[in-house]
Amino acid sequence: MFNKLPLDRSWEFHNNFSLLMFAVIIILTFIGFYLQKRNKLDVIKKISFFIIIFCFFQEIIDYVHRAFLDPSYSISWQKDLPLHFCHFAFYFSLLAIYLKFKNSSNDNEMSTKSIRTQFLFDASFILGMSGALQGIFTPDFQHIHNYVGIICAQLQHSLIILNVFWLISAYKMRLEFHGLIYTYIFINLLVPFAILLNTILGTNSAGDFANYLYIMELPKVDNFLLDFVVDKSFPNFIFYVQPLIIGYILILYIPFFITNRFKKN
């Protein structure tokens, strides 16, 4: 479980585990729709509570593994703070489930809690279906060495997708157009803080430099989206990547736009 794996073995295990998680996501989504249709709110709350507990348990295992169980890994401030976009999506999705779980069926759509939950969902969905999905399809094995590391890294991404689809199916949440705008603004507001933090943290003794949000250097993965900006250096690629972000966000909104138009008609 903790021995270092060759790259081809890592890919094979990652792909198999990814298929398993996609099956779990699909099944849980259908369960969510079924329970919502049958108005089984108590069961929805129990499953929501289990999801929250499982996600936090996974995070604990991940950090314990990095710090104590993986002999090939050196934990550091430069690469182990939960400050990537996928981390924001992960915790935002959990917070959205928690707010729905605590709920308040009496909240109207314009209440402060409802607006806050909607933003958390919108940001989680956009970041999850972009960064997390790409993280599953094109994982970076540079600091992932064994079976446990692969499981934790895969779960960090797939649980985001599971969480947002649970919110869609069990709590009838939908991506809002203004959420696209708020999330795009949120993404760009984080950039200067990430640059500052990365600059302050610098490089550790192992030669790993702080690269939170992958803002100082793009991840070294075979990703066709990044091919458009891979030849650009920091900070130029920040500006070149903007059209990609906007285009990707708009594409993610298309299913919700069609659904909304269909319902109105």
Side-chain angles (χ1 to χ4, degrees):
M1 290 294 287
F2 304 111
N3 294 330
K4 191 165 185 176
L5 295 172
L7 185 58
D8 59 340
R9 196 75 171 277
S10 297
W11 266 107
E12 180 183 4
F13 183 73
H14 168 82
N15 290 338
N16 291 334
F17 192 71
S18 296
L19 290 174
L20 173 64
M21 284 306 301
F22 280 130
V24 170
I25 291 168
I26 292 170
I27 293 170
L28 190 66
T29 299
F30 277 107
I31 291 173
F33 280 122
Y34 173 81
L35 294 175
Q36 177 57 235
K37 187 175 182 180
R38 298 285 180 171
N39 203 32
K40 301 284 188 179
L41 300 183
D42 288 342
V43 181
I44 289 175
K45 283 191 173 185
K46 289 177 182 177
I47 295 176
S48 298
F49 180 75
F50 173 78
I51 290 173
I52 293 171
I53 295 300
F54 181 82
C55 285
F56 276 110
F57 176 74
Q58 179 274 145
E59 282 289 273
I60 293 171
I61 294 298
D62 180 36
Y63 276 98
V64 169
H65 171 256
R66 291 193 226 179
F68 305 109
L69 301 179
D70 185 352
S72 302
Y73 193 91
S74 299
I75 196 167
S76 70
W77 295 106
Q78 284 75 14
K79 64 180 189 295
D80 291 293
L81 296 175
L83 294 176
H84 284 293
F85 283 125
C86 287
H87 290 108
F88 285 101
F90 181 79
Y91 289 111
F92 279 12
S93 66
L94 279 182
L95 187 53
I97 292 176
Y98 173 76
L99 291 174
K100 295 302 261 184
F101 170 78
K102 285 298 289 182
N103 168 352
S104 164
S105 47
N106 297 324
D107 280 350
N108 60 63
E109 292 184 358
M110 296 307 295
S111 68
T112 302
K113 183 182 293 185
S114 179
I115 293 172
R116 184 190 312 134
T117 306
Q118 184 64 48
F119 168 73
L120 292 170
F121 168 77
D122 292 336
S124 301
F125 184 87
I126 291 170
L127 294 174
M129 297 305 291
S130 54
L133 198 59
Q134 295 303 318
I136 294 173
F137 289 143
T138 57
D140 182 1
F141 290 113
Q142 184 178 0
H143 298 294
I144 302 173
H145 307 118
N146 54 40
Y147 288 115
V148 177
I150 294 170
I151 291 172
C152 289
Q154 206 284 343
L155 284 177
Q156 281 183 334
H157 294 108
S158 60
L159 286 176
I160 300 169
I161 300 172
L162 182 147
N163 291 347
V164 296
F165 274 91
W166 177 248
L167 286 163
I168 289 171
S169 61
Y171 291 108
K172 299 195 292 187
M173 299 207 71
R174 300 293 184 267
L175 186 62
E176 301 285 351
F177 184 77
H178 61 258
L180 309 184
I181 300 171
Y182 294 154
T183 302
Y184 177 73
I185 294 172
F186 172 74
I187 289 171
N188 283 281
L189 284 177
L190 287 177
V191 169
F193 294 102
I195 294 174
L196 178 61
L197 179 64
N198 290 332
T199 303
I200 292 172
L201 291 176
T203 305
N204 63 19
S205 57
D208 299 313
F209 63 92
N211 190 24
Y212 292 110
L213 303 191
Y214 291 110
I215 207 68
M216 313 302 285
E217 181 181 273
L218 292 170
K220 297 177 181 178
V221 295
D222 185 14
N223 188 310
F224 78 97
L225 289 175
L226 297 182
D227 289 343
F228 291 101
V229 293
V230 70
D231 60 330
K232 310 300 180 186
S233 59
F234 171 83
N236 295 332
F237 72 77
I238 298 174
F239 302 101
Y240 282 98
V241 81
Q242 297 299 316
L244 287 177
I245 296 173
I246 295 172
Y248 199 100
I249 288 175
L250 290 175
I251 291 172
L252 290 177
Y253 182 64
I254 290 175
F256 296 95
F257 174 77
I258 295 173
T259 302
N260 292 338
R261 290 297 297 269
F262 179 77
K263 284 185 176 180
K264 288 180 181 179
N265 292 333

